[in-house]
Amino acid sequence: MRFGHFDDERREYVIDRPDTPLPWINYLGTEAYFGIISNTAGGYSFYRDARLRRLTRYRYNNAPMDLGGRYIYLRDEAEFWSPTWQPTQTELDDYECRHGLSYTRVASRYRGIKAETLYFVPLGETLEVWRLKVTNERDTAVSLSAFSSIEFCLWDAQDDATNYQRNFNTGQVEVVDGVIYHKTEYRERRDHFAYFACSEPLAGFDTSREAFLGPYRSWDRPLAVERGESGDSIAHGWQPHGSHHVKLTLEPGETREIGFVLGYWENPRDAKFDPPGSQTINKAGAQAKVATWLAQETVDAGLAALAARWEELLGGLRVQTPDADTDRMVNIWNAYQNMVTFNMSRSTSLYESGIGRGMGFRDSNQDLLGFVHMIPERARERILDIAATQLPTGGAYHQYQPLTKRGNNDIGSGFNDDPLWLILGVSAYIKESGDWSILDEPVPFDNAPGSEQSLYEHLKLSLRYTTERLGPHGLPLIGRADWNDCLNLNCFSDTPGEPFQTTENATGGVAESVFIAGQFVLAARSLAELAVHKDDDPAAYLTAAEKMTGSIAEHGWDGAWFRRAYDFHGNVIGSASNDEGQIFIEPQGMCIMGGVGLDDGTAVRALASVRERLATPHGIVLQQPAFSSYRIELGEISSYPPGYKENAGIFCHTNPWLMIAEAMVGNGDGAFDYYKRINPSAREEIGDLHRCEPYVYAQMIAGRDAPTHGEAKNSWLTGTAAWNYAAVTQWILGIRPELSGLRIAPVIPSSWSGFSAVRRFRGATYTITVQKEPGVSATSCSLVVDGVPVDGGVLPVAPAGSSVQVEAHLS
């Protein structure tokens, strides 16, 4: 069953019924001010950090699931309703939500009244704009009331949701000229406040949630809306709220617009109050923003600027292939999701509360793969932020807070794959940008002043971190976990509620990771490529890679696939000798991406085992057989029911590693087959099974052992986005940045006759046409550049601003 459709021309997903299986969300904002918004206007807003600068309140794990948002109510003489369906859930006569690139429109009709609300965050601003258009389609004039509604969060979302004995006493607001200012804690240590403004003269307002809703009422029947009159309430403690009441009289066919602005403002500490010495907030800066963004012409210009920005960003790569699902994901939605994951890491979605996680060290480095071609300058900044949280040992904080840019002590370090991702992230950046200067940037350790060393020294230390932590088989020690945070081989937790990743690990074990071994080979070879430019001898890195390859061959190969790990006691995991968990997906992908097994045929054998034992119609499961009971020596992975998350679920993040591996061995049909299985656009027809948004990747899909096989969860914020983009664009379509230039090496399905692409690379624009005989599995590629044959598969770097015509012939 479908719940909407793609509008490719407008780059929108159109939802035509409000009761989607789950809330289908979008993201507002691209720089510092962000929000999530569902197809029924649920969600919340924050400035930079979803925990520490939360503007509005949201209730996770509630019933209904999507509760709290940017609500508008309309009321005529007879009744009231929500034009976004939520929260009143009135049965609307017509409904349509259009999720676009950093904006959302929700339109509906009810009893002859058409309403459309636009939500977006203008470029360069720390505010969001709502524009409500109301049209009277009745034959007679109508008198309406419009009520806005948001619930202010008391800034720190964790404290806001737990520390009631204090927070029920701290809420403070001011209302001046119809603008509601939320100033909780401003009189003490905060320099920032929120504001909520309306373009029309007000019939009333409310800043107390209890006054607006009434006792024992919820958002579906607010007392102020029901009676058609606001209470002009001022919040003193309890729950600060923002609501404007506007009265409208519309003639038949008449349309009126109402603008709302919700924003964040921060004053210099010595200019907090006006007049100085008072307790009245200095509103001058916020008032100027309100005046600007309540003007209709400014809103129109801001929306146009946002569209132009996305036109520029998406222009970095555009493709036209024989497959519509590939085109819309590569050209629009996958690229868009990559930008969202860059901004959010794994911190805030409908599945991540924005409270418990910051920016991931491992996550953010992988996200670089998907967005670096769009905004290399911000990729550079992100790399330096990440590297500054690295520890003097070469290890790393697993996460850091985006506001403070400091590591999270609650999660800590010891995830032994983390440091190697920095090498791979930096390598991807330089390949795309050609900016070698980043290697010379001084970067501190643990953000400690005076500890600065060049980024290149950080990379060398990242590699050394692994070589100094090897187990008895010459494979890297796993630490708290490797890429799979739920494979906790040193934990041994038997205490209910104890967190697997942060509990004290047992000492003296020899748990090793074959996955990190494959990653080490890939990272060491990448560092060797960088070393040549730095006049550093790459031999040591290449030797280390070869030595690790030997250890994998001797102790990581199980005869038909790569093993997964060795546990605390030295017992093998991911082997035919195990009763459960005999084969895992991760080492098959990572070892082959590192080049292990390409020369001796073991890579092809491992891929055959994956297809035979792990592939399902809905994607490749993480391992088989599933663990049927809790195994204390393995940790959290065995705590999930079979078929879910890491226990034999389809953890989509790993699937593109196998797409890349298949492409590396020349199997275009196999690579593209795996790509289509989890492509959200290709799954649109099974929306009632898939349940998550059909325009973005989900983290996981229930595996074959689950009763709900094929059901997706944890959409939006997942490394699946960047890796799938890399897999399809760089390996299947084969347009791959390298240090010396742009490689063209497609490995496409045999049924295709070719494709075309436009790729910006280091300031030049390459128009690429690929041709192949249908039905042929191509193994070689010849290039003609501007009419001249070119030897090899790498295009020389063209001057910035130039246009290059490339013809690729596959045979």
Side-chain angles (χ1 to χ4, degrees):
M1 175 187 289
R2 290 169 34 142
F3 295 85
H5 63 274
F6 288 95
D7 186 336
D8 294 332
E9 184 175 349
R10 295 177 59 171
R11 296 174 177 159
E12 295 175 336
Y13 192 81
V14 185
I15 303 168
D16 52 26
R17 52 184 293 180
D19 57 335
T20 49
L22 294 165
W24 286 2
I25 71 167
N26 194 13
Y27 282 80
L28 307 178
T30 61
E31 296 160 318
Y33 183 104
F34 301 103
I36 63 172
I37 182 167
S38 74
N39 57 300
T40 57
Y44 58 90
S45 303
F46 61 95
Y47 171 73
R48 291 183 61 190
D49 191 310
R51 171 177 174 175
L52 300 179
R53 290 293 185 273
R54 184 79 66 91
L55 269 74
T56 59
R57 189 174 283 156
Y58 188 78
R59 289 166 178 79
Y60 283 87
N61 197 22
N62 214 308
M65 184 174 177
D66 189 23
L67 191 62
R70 303 164 180 83
Y71 294 145
I72 290 174
Y73 303 84
L74 294 178
R75 182 185 188 278
D76 62 10
E77 296 89 343
E79 60 182 318
F80 64 88
W81 68 97
S82 301
T84 55
W85 191 65
Q86 280 271 65
T88 63
Q89 297 190 10
T90 306
E91 187 173 346
L92 302 168
D93 299 324
D94 186 41
Y95 162 90
E96 179 184 86
C97 170
R98 286 180 171 265
H99 282 323
L101 305 182
S102 302
Y103 68 86
T104 288
R105 283 190 177 93
V106 185
S108 65
R109 285 183 174 86
Y110 183 68
R111 297 181 66 245
I113 302 299
K114 179 183 178 182
E116 178 189 286
T117 308
L118 164 71
Y119 304 90
F120 77 100
V121 175
L123 297 174
E125 301 290 351
T126 59
L127 56 86
E128 64 188 75
V129 173
W130 311 359
R131 182 169 68 187
L132 171 66
K133 290 184 179 181
V134 183
T135 301
N136 178 16
E137 296 181 341
R138 299 178 185 175
D139 296 331
T140 59
V142 62
S143 294
L144 295 173
S145 282
F147 294 83
S148 63
S149 175
I150 56 103
E151 187 179 9
F152 291 112
C153 181
L154 305 187
W155 300 117
D156 183 330
Q158 171 74 20
D159 188 75
D160 176 80
T162 55
N163 192 7
Y164 302 119
Q165 63 85 22
R166 182 177 193 273
N167 293 338
F168 284 163
N169 297 278
T170 60
Q172 285 189 299
V173 298
E174 291 181 23
V175 182
V176 178
D177 296 331
V179 182
I180 299 167
Y181 298 90
H182 174 228
K183 64 173 189 177
T184 298
E185 294 186 348
Y186 186 81
R187 64 189 296 272
E188 39 160 317
R189 293 164 292 178
R190 297 190 181 275
D191 307 322
H192 50 267
F193 58 87
Y195 57 90
F196 191 32
C198 178
S199 63
E200 303 301 303
L202 300 186
F205 64 86
D206 275 301
T207 69
S208 164
R209 188 184 77 186
E210 187 173 24
F212 178 74
L213 293 180
Y216 299 100
R217 290 174 176 243
S218 189
W219 304 99
D220 60 334
R221 56 187 192 102
L223 180 62
V225 179
E226 182 178 281
R227 71 189 180 195
E229 183 179 354
S230 296
D232 294 346
S233 58
I234 300 294
H236 299 288
W238 294 108
Q239 298 94 351
H241 179 260
S243 176
H244 308 97
H245 177 199
V246 175
K247 291 186 176 181
L248 304 169
T249 298
L250 299 177
E251 297 299 322
E254 184 180 1
T255 299
R256 289 279 299 276
E257 291 191 5
I258 306 173
F260 301 94
V261 175
L262 172 65
Y264 171 95
W265 189 259
E266 191 167 321
N267 280 323
R269 184 148 292 188
D270 59 356
K272 287 180 60 172
F273 300 103
D274 184 19
S278 72
Q279 295 300 301
T280 302
I281 60 178
N282 179 0
K283 308 174 184 66
Q287 287 170 334
K289 293 296 183 185
V290 166
T292 298
W293 287 101
L294 288 179
Q296 180 178 330
E297 60 273 15
T298 309
V299 173
D300 291 338
L303 192 62
L306 183 63
R309 176 60 171 158
W310 274 109
E311 179 72 21
E312 176 190 4
L313 290 172
L314 296 181
L317 175 62
R318 291 178 178 165
V319 304
Q320 186 173 359
T321 77
D323 184 70
D325 297 315
T326 299
D327 289 355
R328 70 165 52 105
M329 292 307 295
V330 170
N331 294 334
I332 306 170
W333 294 101
N334 196 171
Y336 179 47
Q337 187 179 3
N338 289 341
M339 281 293 292
V340 171
T341 56
F342 160 66
N343 284 319
M344 302 292 125
S345 190
R346 309 294 176 266
S347 65
T348 179
S349 68
L350 283 186
Y351 310 90
E352 296 284 2
S353 68
I355 292 175
R357 299 181 66 170
M359 309 294 284
F361 191 99
R362 166 203 303 150
D363 299 328
S364 294
N365 275 299
Q366 291 177 90
D367 291 341
L368 287 165
L369 299 173
F371 75 87
V372 63
H373 70 289
M374 292 191 281
I375 46 171
E377 68 283 355
R378 292 185 69 188
R380 190 183 203 274
E381 178 186 358
R382 176 60 53 80
I383 286 170
L384 297 177
D385 285 346
I386 296 168
T389 67
Q390 190 175 23
L391 299 169
T393 61
Y397 285 105
H398 198 47
Q399 299 165 8
Y400 70 96
Q401 285 303 126
L403 187 69
T404 64
K405 297 183 179 179
R406 298 194 67 86
N408 288 351
N409 285 314
D410 290 346
I411 300 296
S413 61
F415 298 77
N416 282 356
D417 65 310
D418 274 345
L420 296 174
W421 289 113
L422 183 63
I423 297 173
L424 300 176
V426 172
S427 176
Y429 167 74
I430 297 176
K431 287 176 179 178
E432 180 64 41
S433 66
D435 173 23
W436 291 94
S437 69
I438 192 172
L439 294 177
D440 298 319
E441 284 286 342
V443 182
F445 290 95
D446 197 12
N447 280 292
S451 65
E452 291 83 2
Q453 293 189 37
S454 72
L455 178 62
Y456 185 64
E457 291 299 321
H458 279 254
L459 302 188
K460 291 165 64 176
L461 192 58
S462 294
L463 204 70
R464 193 183 314 146
Y465 179 87
T466 301
T467 58
E468 291 176 348
R469 292 163 176 80
L470 300 178
H473 298 96
L475 300 170
L477 296 175
I478 196 169
R480 292 193 176 277
D482 56 20
W483 174 88
N484 188 340
D485 286 343
C486 296
L487 188 61
N488 315 116
L489 304 183
N490 299 303
C491 180
F492 303 104
S493 175
D494 58 4
T495 302
E498 185 176 56
F500 287 91
Q501 285 82 41
T502 59
T503 189
E504 188 67 29
N505 280 340
T507 58
V510 289
E512 299 166 281
S513 168
V514 178
F515 169 85
I516 298 180
Q519 183 194 17
F520 177 86
V521 175
L522 179 60
R525 290 176 175 169
S526 297
L527 188 57
E529 291 180 331
L530 301 181
V532 174
H533 185 86
K534 289 293 294 179
D535 293 326
D536 185 16
D537 186 2
Y541 310 131
L542 293 174
T543 299
E546 290 306 311
K547 184 177 180 181
M548 189 65 72
T549 300
S551 296
I552 295 172
E554 185 176 358
H555 301 291
W557 180 249
D558 201 61
W561 57 78
F562 293 101
R563 294 170 173 172
R564 181 62 179 87
Y566 287 85
D567 70 13
F568 183 89
H569 304 288
N571 301 312
V572 68
I573 300 170
S575 168
S577 63
N578 299 129
D579 60 337
E580 294 177 334
Q582 294 175 340
I583 176 173
F584 285 72
I585 186 176
E586 305 103 308
Q588 320 313 321
M590 187 55 69
C591 287
I592 296 172
M593 287 196 296
V596 181
L598 292 177
D599 297 331
D600 61 9
T602 54
V604 173
R605 183 69 186 91
L607 290 172
S609 295
V610 169
R611 189 164 293 275
E612 176 187 347
R613 303 193 53 163
L614 299 179
T616 81
H618 299 289
I620 310 169
V621 298
L622 192 138
Q623 102 276 3
Q624 280 289 287
F627 296 112
S628 58
S629 61
Y630 177 53
R631 302 194 175 208
I632 193 170
E633 74 278 10
L634 301 182
E636 188 173 2
I637 187 173
S638 61
S639 71
Y640 290 104
Y644 293 105
K645 286 279 280 184
E646 280 86 347
N647 188 10
I650 299 163
F651 213 92
C652 298
H653 187 150
T654 58
N655 277 226
W657 298 348
L658 274 298
M659 300 170 202
I660 294 171
E662 290 282 12
M664 292 177 75
V665 300
N667 186 3
D669 287 331
F672 190 71
D673 172 43
Y674 286 152
Y675 174 71
K676 287 284 283 191
R677 294 189 194 201
I678 66 169
N679 183 309
S681 172
R683 297 173 63 81
E684 184 186 23
E685 295 288 347
I686 56 170
D688 48 343
L689 171 63
H690 185 77
R691 301 191 72 202
C692 283
E693 298 92 335
Y695 43 91
V696 291
Y697 288 98
Q699 179 201 71
M700 67 85 61
I701 297 172
R704 64 160 63 104
D705 299 284
T708 57
H709 181 34
E711 177 191 42
K713 288 181 182 174
N714 297 21
S715 60
W716 277 99
L717 302 186
T718 166
T720 310
W723 274 110
N724 262 279
Y725 192 84
V728 68
T729 63
Q730 297 185 21
W731 292 94
I732 297 175
L733 300 183
I735 305 172
R736 188 162 63 251
E738 296 190 356
L739 295 177
S740 58
L742 190 64
R743 180 175 292 278
I744 309 297
V747 185
I748 58 178
S750 59
S751 60
W752 287 15
S753 60
F755 68 93
S756 61
V758 178
R759 176 67 151 89
R760 286 200 308 257
F761 180 68
R762 302 189 192 176
T765 300
Y766 296 79
T767 300
I768 304 163
T769 302
V770 177
Q771 295 179 325
K772 180 184 71 65
E773 288 294 326
V776 173
S777 296
T779 57
S780 64
C781 176
S782 60
L783 299 178
V784 176
V785 180
D786 289 334
V788 179
V790 173
D791 292 332
V794 179
L795 304 177
V797 178
S802 63
S803 297
V804 181
Q805 300 293 320
V806 182
E807 298 175 31
H809 299 273
L810 305 182
S811 60

